[in-house]
Amino acid sequence: MARKKYKKDADQGPHIENRKARHDFIITDTLETGIKLAGSEVKSVRAGKVSLTEGYVRVAPEENALYLHGVNIGEYPPAGARQHASLRTRKLLAHGREVFKLARAVEAKGMTIVPLKMYFKDGYAKLLIGVAQGRAEHDKRDRIAKRDAERDISRAMSRRA
């Protein structure tokens, strides 16, 4: 009997998530894009030295392209002289129709594009971005109170059973 061919493990590295974005924004739409990285940046991402919290995405309509700003990818010490700039602007890879759709969504007042998650898929670095609308401070507090109440109810029910 022949050996079974196993599919490559889909989880090939760290999943860096921007949890603060889901707290600060209401995410209306998401899109998985590729990201153009230098060699030392790929090594740093695999090591998990990424901060997505301050990041945002801008649409360049004249080029029909997306650019990632404000994301800190830490230095990779063995790179030496070939080190990358940790806060440089990086190009995102997406189809033209997707870029156009995002550009139209961002034209509305209060809408922005934020990075949600960075991960590897089939050996390529991917970035999940979302079209987001800012959440008011009182909405954040209401959401936290609701989550705490649900947690208390589930604890009480688990003790009872």
Side-chain angles (χ1 to χ4, degrees):
M1 184 181 239
R3 275 190 182 180
K4 289 184 182 179
K5 292 184 179 178
Y6 291 102
K7 191 175 177 184
K8 266 187 155 179
D9 189 12
D11 189 21
Q12 297 178 354
H15 287 259
I16 296 103
E17 194 165 346
N18 185 359
R19 296 182 349 194
K20 191 172 181 184
R22 299 237 183 235
H23 177 72
D24 291 342
F25 299 100
I26 299 168
I27 309 298
T28 58
D29 192 21
T30 60
L31 174 68
E32 181 184 71
T33 63
I35 182 168
K36 204 170 181 180
L37 297 174
S40 60
E41 290 175 324
V42 174
K43 296 283 190 174
S44 290
V45 171
R46 286 197 188 275
K49 296 180 180 178
V50 180
S51 174
L52 297 174
T53 309
E54 303 85 23
Y56 59 95
V57 177
R58 293 272 183 205
V59 180
E62 61 279 347
E63 298 177 38
N64 200 22
L66 297 170
Y67 289 96
L68 180 66
H69 298 272
V71 171
N72 187 357
I73 298 180
E75 292 185 353
Y76 183 66
R82 296 189 188 124
Q83 198 61 254
H84 63 273
S86 61
L87 282 173
R88 74 178 183 90
T89 302
R90 294 165 181 89
K91 186 172 184 176
L92 299 180
L93 309 172
H95 290 283
R97 65 181 175 274
E98 294 169 337
V99 174
F100 181 72
K101 183 178 154 188
L102 289 174
R104 297 228 4 209
V106 173
E107 286 175 359
K109 187 173 190 236
M111 300 299 278
T112 187
I113 306 172
V114 293
L116 300 173
K117 191 177 197 182
M118 187 181 284
Y119 53 92
F120 283 91
K121 183 176 179 183
D122 297 328
Y124 294 102
K126 299 289 181 178
L127 184 71
L128 184 69
I129 59 175
V131 178
Q133 182 178 15
R135 187 173 282 176
E137 194 66 35
H138 61 85
D139 290 338
K140 293 178 196 177
R141 286 192 294 267
D142 292 344
R143 189 164 174 241
I144 290 169
K146 184 178 177 183
R147 186 181 62 212
D148 290 343
E150 288 174 359
R151 189 179 302 138
D152 292 340
I153 290 169
S154 67
R155 281 186 191 143
M157 293 301 287
S158 67
R159 285 188 207 130
R160 190 168 189 213

